[in-house]
Amino acid sequence: MEVRDIDAVKAEVEQTSSRILEIMALKGKVDDAGAMTSPCANYDSSEKVYRARHPWSVYQVPVAEVEKSMDRLRAGLPEKGWAIVMAGVDGSVAKSPQIVAESKGKEFAVDLRLLDERKYGDDPSLIEVTVESSCYRSE
C-alpha cells in the first residue's frame, strides 16, 4: 500500500471535487467544509491506514437546473475518465437519484445525490457530493 502525506491526499481530493463541480456546471451556493481523513475499514488503527473524504453540496438552485446537472454528470464523468458503477436511486424513502463513479485508476470515488425539495419539504433542492480517496498509509 502506498505511503502518502495526509495533507497532499486531502488537497488531491479537493482538486478532484473542483473538477466535478466544473462538470456539474451548476451556479449555486457551495457548502464546503474541506477534506478530512478517516481510518479505512478492515485495518487496525495502529496500521495508520486512512482515506480522505470531501463532503460538499451545491444548493439554492431550481430543481430543474439540479436535474440537468445530474444529466451533465452522467455524460461528463465518463468523458473525463470516470467509470459510473451505479446510476439509479438510493435506498432512502425519497428514492433520491444517485450516481456513484470511480476514477480511471480507482484513486478516487464519488457519490452524488440529488435531494429534491419536492420530496423533502422546506429544504431547498441540492446535489450532495462526497469524494473519497483510495486507502493509503500515512507517513
Side-chain angles (χ1 to χ4, degrees):
M1 178 175 299
E2 188 175 3
V3 175
R4 305 281 317 276
D5 175 72
I6 289 173
D7 290 331
V9 175
K10 287 175 20 179
E12 288 175 12
V13 168
E14 289 177 354
Q15 289 169 354
T16 301
S17 288
S18 293
R19 290 191 296 272
I20 289 169
L21 182 59
E22 289 171 9
I23 296 168
M24 292 168 76
L26 190 60
K27 303 291 184 203
K29 292 192 175 187
V30 178
D31 177 19
D32 179 1
M36 60 194 86
T37 58
S38 61
C40 282
N42 303 325
Y43 289 93
D44 183 279
S45 61
S46 66
E47 295 181 81
K48 297 182 180 180
V49 177
Y50 300 95
R51 76 173 15 148
R53 299 183 77 236
H54 187 211
W56 54 279
S57 60
V58 180
Y59 63 100
Q60 287 194 345
V61 182
V63 69
E65 292 303 311
V66 177
E67 289 171 333
K68 289 176 187 174
S69 184
M70 289 292 279
D71 291 338
R72 285 189 291 275
L73 287 160
R74 275 186 212 87
L77 285 168
E79 292 174 358
K80 299 290 184 182
W82 290 80
I84 294 178
V85 296
M86 195 284 260
V89 296
D90 68 9
S92 70
V93 173
K95 304 270 187 242
S96 297
Q98 179 183 22
I99 299 170
V100 177
E102 293 178 342
S103 62
K104 186 176 183 180
K106 297 188 179 182
E107 304 92 343
F108 302 101
V110 63
D111 183 334
L112 304 129
R113 297 171 196 240
L114 186 161
L115 304 182
D116 186 335
E117 65 191 353
R118 298 170 294 190
K119 296 180 182 179
Y120 286 94
D122 295 334
D123 293 334
S125 294
L126 60 90
I127 292 183
E128 182 180 84
V129 181
T130 302
V131 177
E132 282 188 334
S133 72
S134 59
C135 292
Y136 63 92
R137 195 172 303 281
S138 67
E139 296 182 305

